[in-house]
Amino acid sequence: SRQLGTVPTATIACIVPTYKRPEGVIAAVNSLLAQERQDFVIILGDDGAGLPDLPHDPRLFAVSLSRNSAVLGLVRNVGLRLSRSEFVAFLDDDNVWTQEHLTVAIRALQDDTDMVYTAVRRRKPDGSEFDILSKPFDRRRFSDESSWVDANAIVLRRSACPLFSRLPRTRATLPKEDWEFVWRVSRRARVKHLPTVTVEYLVNPESFYTSWSVPE
């Protein structure tokens, strides 16, 4: 941070990790710049692959790691440590937000809530719908089930935001970093689900980290 100089700040810090997805990260950033609510900064963390030409906007701050870590939690943590905003949100480089994502999330956070997560529309590579991920939060059920809270749908107060686990994840590694992050947050935080679809999520059948059974 001493080498990088002043990082822009605003009410919301949007953390965007990326690695070798030049078209995807530009689409993700553009969906952020198109938000109804504009009091945000974008902290873009490149995991050592280099960045494409990005949109010119004073709220966009990009940094590249000196080498590839292959640890999503570590890249997100770099963004978290560089940011200073009251609220934090996450968006990966193969997904996009609808225009109202930050509007509905921050409105809910102003109502005695520490973390919210919205509904996620998951799409297959051909653009057709895979499913909609939307379930109220129940910590007891969450302890025994696969995570239905995706990091791309999370917006939370910085005061309730820990760092992500830096353990490398493979297909077989459990729990996944999103589940582990939400489990730690929900230990003390007030969590609320918003059943509005505000995240368009690309299902990758060849994902290294997640095994998908994609219907034909």
Side-chain angles (χ1 to χ4, degrees):
S1 61
R2 288 193 299 269
Q3 295 174 0
L4 293 171
T6 303
V7 180
T9 189
T11 304
I12 314 158
C14 303
I15 312 300
V16 183
T18 185
Y19 181 68
K20 290 187 175 181
R21 286 200 181 106
E23 294 180 358
V25 73
I26 291 173
V29 168
N30 283 335
S31 79
L32 248 167
L33 295 175
Q35 290 294 296
E36 294 173 346
R37 183 161 185 148
Q38 290 282 303
D39 51 340
F40 60 80
V41 292
I42 306 170
I43 310 296
L44 180 59
D46 161 47
D47 196 14
L51 289 165
D53 290 333
L54 297 167
H56 293 286
D57 192 289
R59 295 166 297 178
L60 175 58
F61 186 86
V63 59
S64 292
L65 302 188
S66 59
R67 59 182 176 84
N68 175 239
S69 72
V71 180
L72 178 58
L74 187 151
V75 183
R76 286 174 175 161
N77 289 346
V78 169
L80 283 170
R81 289 187 179 279
L82 288 171
S83 63
R84 296 291 182 270
S85 301
E86 180 182 1
F87 302 104
V88 180
F90 305 98
L91 181 62
D92 293 342
D93 63 0
D94 50 353
N95 305 310
V96 297
W97 288 339
T98 63
Q99 291 183 333
E100 69 270 27
H101 178 71
L102 293 178
T103 300
V104 299
I106 299 300
R107 183 186 300 135
L109 285 171
Q110 293 170 342
D111 185 26
D112 197 33
T113 303
D114 298 308
M115 186 186 92
V116 300
Y117 64 100
T118 60
V120 177
R121 178 181 288 109
R122 300 192 290 194
R123 294 189 180 277
K124 294 186 285 185
D126 63 5
S128 61
E129 186 176 295
F130 177 71
D131 66 5
I132 292 179
L133 189 64
S134 181
K135 187 185 293 188
F137 192 72
D138 182 323
R139 197 166 190 267
R140 180 173 296 179
R141 291 184 60 191
F142 192 77
S143 67
D144 295 324
E145 300 181 15
S146 298
S147 179
W148 63 81
V149 184
D150 188 86
N152 293 269
I154 291 173
V155 185
L156 74 166
R157 297 181 185 276
R158 172 174 294 281
S159 58
C161 184
L163 295 175
F164 281 84
S165 167
R166 295 178 296 167
L167 293 176
R169 255 66 178 187
T170 67
R171 283 182 183 269
T173 305
L174 294 173
K176 301 302 183 185
E177 61 267 289
D178 288 9
W179 185 99
E180 195 266 352
F181 179 84
V182 172
W183 180 253
R184 285 188 289 123
V185 171
S186 64
R187 185 176 298 143
R188 295 182 178 85
R190 297 157 294 184
V191 179
K192 182 177 182 179
H193 174 52
L194 307 175
T196 305
V197 174
T198 66
V199 180
E200 299 287 342
Y201 182 104
L202 177 63
V203 170
N204 179 6
E206 299 179 354
S207 172
F208 178 76
Y209 298 103
T210 304
S211 297
W212 293 97
S213 176
V214 181
E216 297 295 334

